[in-house]
Amino acid sequence: MTNAFGMTVATGGPYIISVCCQKGGAGKTTTAMMLAAMLSRVFRVLFIDADEQGSATFWSNNANGGEDLPFDFFPSVKLEELSQLRQLPYDVIIVDTPGSFADEPMLAAVLDVTDFAILPLNADPMTVPPLLHTLRKLILPRGIDYRVLLNNVDTRVQGEDEYLIDLCDEKLKLPRFDVLVTRRKAVSTSVIQGTVVTDYPDNRAHRHSISDYTTLKNEVLAIREAHLAKEAH
């Protein structure tokens, strides 16, 4: 069964995507918000802020209390409510997970119901240990499909993109998205302005960000379609 955009609609409940990094500054919340916005163009999307720091909720409040967001937003979730997510009337649920080791029980509970995990990685070497911790302790034991997202890449720093590609492909040997999401001023100020990538005008200042998140959306859609096809058989 497909929706009006020709995209497959799952019959077993929503496809749940968790964006994970147990360290601040990796771009977890930004990734989750922008991906939710892009996916909302073709699906009914719910965003859940499961991070007690509430960065996504702050963002949503700046978007007219969430009214100006192109997806539904839920500012918090309790552990006992997570098992009910598949009963909700959405095609996709994006979960912004805790950004520290302190609330690992919440992250573990979110991952118990997760179909796919995104792990942002930037050029800060200190993002590597928490990424590996999350992966080895929480994601791999659950058999969750995942990809690393090379994120917040500064194109002004010569060789930063090659460094991150080599780090992920050769040193860590982890599967990643093809897209590298580059650092852009419009993205960094969106949290204050309460905007998301689907609000951006298609001009020179925003074209790279629109392209990055469109490519990310398309890669996620391909992974989701493969997941649903596998389940159907």
Side-chain angles (χ1 to χ4, degrees):
M1 182 173 136
T2 59
N3 62 16
F5 299 96
M7 302 306 302
T8 305
V9 176
T11 57
Y15 186 69
I16 301 175
I17 301 171
S18 296
V19 185
C20 311
C21 184
Q22 292 179 276
K23 179 188 180 301
K28 174 179 60 66
T29 298
T30 299
T31 298
M33 291 288 282
M34 298 307 195
L35 180 59
M38 294 301 298
L39 289 175
S40 70
R41 287 181 161 171
V42 291
F43 291 122
R44 297 169 300 168
V45 176
L46 173 66
F47 188 108
I48 296 177
D49 188 358
D51 185 355
E52 63 178 8
Q53 295 180 10
S55 297
T57 299
F58 175 74
W59 193 328
S60 175
N61 289 339
N62 291 335
N64 193 24
E67 291 298 318
D68 293 340
L69 295 174
F71 47 85
D72 289 344
F73 188 95
F74 197 71
S76 63
V77 65
K78 297 178 181 178
L79 285 173
E80 59 270 21
E81 295 172 334
L82 291 169
S83 62
Q84 304 171 30
L85 292 188
R86 297 210 183 270
Q87 302 171 25
L88 299 178
Y90 294 92
D91 301 308
V92 176
I93 296 176
I94 306 283
V95 185
D96 187 22
T97 64
S100 70
F101 292 109
D103 202 10
E104 195 164 287
M106 172 61 78
L107 175 57
V110 170
L111 290 172
D112 282 340
V113 297
T114 291
D115 295 303
F116 181 67
I118 298 174
L119 290 81
L121 176 66
N122 60 24
D124 179 1
M126 295 309 295
T127 61
V128 174
L131 183 151
L132 293 177
H133 173 88
T134 303
L135 184 63
R136 293 167 178 168
K137 184 176 180 181
L138 300 170
I139 292 177
L140 292 178
R142 289 169 168 79
I144 300 170
D145 192 12
Y146 72 94
R147 297 290 185 281
V148 172
L149 176 65
L150 303 184
N151 188 55
N152 205 24
V153 180
D154 192 341
T155 56
R156 299 167 301 178
V157 178
Q158 185 176 3
E160 184 166 294
D161 52 351
E162 289 91 347
Y163 160 74
L164 283 168
I165 291 171
D166 180 72
L167 174 64
C168 193
D169 295 356
E170 302 302 326
K171 293 183 173 61
L172 301 179
K173 298 187 183 301
L174 298 176
R176 64 174 174 87
F177 291 101
D178 290 333
V179 67
L180 276 66
V181 176
T182 54
R183 181 181 300 178
R184 301 290 167 181
K185 183 177 180 181
V187 174
S188 63
T189 59
S190 285
V191 60
I192 299 299
Q193 297 173 350
T195 57
V196 287
V197 64
T198 49
D199 298 320
Y200 296 171
D202 188 5
N203 57 30
R204 185 175 180 180
H206 300 92
R207 200 155 291 154
H208 287 288
S209 296
I210 293 171
S211 175
D212 286 351
Y213 288 112
T214 298
T215 304
L216 176 61
K217 176 204 71 175
N218 291 338
E219 290 194 57
V220 169
L221 286 178
I223 292 167
R224 176 184 177 274
E225 290 294 308
H227 173 91
L228 295 180
K230 183 178 179 180
E231 282 201 334
H233 292 88

